């Protein structure tokens, strides 16, 4: 279950990276980094 949740979070982060082209918000950038890091950590555990 942790690997699946990590994979989902990672790809949410990837989608946010794509969405950054549309908006330049600090909160979006922060959430993107958090999703990528947490997702990678959960998936590779």
């Amino acid at each position: 279950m942790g690997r699946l949740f990590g994979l989902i979070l990672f790809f949410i982060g990837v989608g946010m990276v794509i969405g950054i082209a549309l908006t330049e918000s600090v909160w979006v950038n922060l959430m993107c980094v958090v999703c990528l890091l947490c997702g990678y950590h959960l998936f590779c555990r």
Side-chain angles (χ1 to χ4, degrees):
M1 188 68 180
R3 287 181 58 108
L4 180 63
F5 188 62
L7 188 67
I8 290 168
L9 271 179
F10 184 78
F11 280 106
I12 287 173
V14 169
M16 291 176 105
V17 167
I18 294 169
I20 286 175
L22 302 175
T23 179
E24 292 291 329
S25 175
V26 174
W27 293 110
V28 172
N29 292 334
L30 183 63
M31 285 301 296
C32 172
V33 170
V34 168
C35 283
L36 285 171
L37 289 177
C38 288
Y40 181 77
H41 175 70
L42 286 172
F43 185 72
C44 292
R45 187 186 317 176

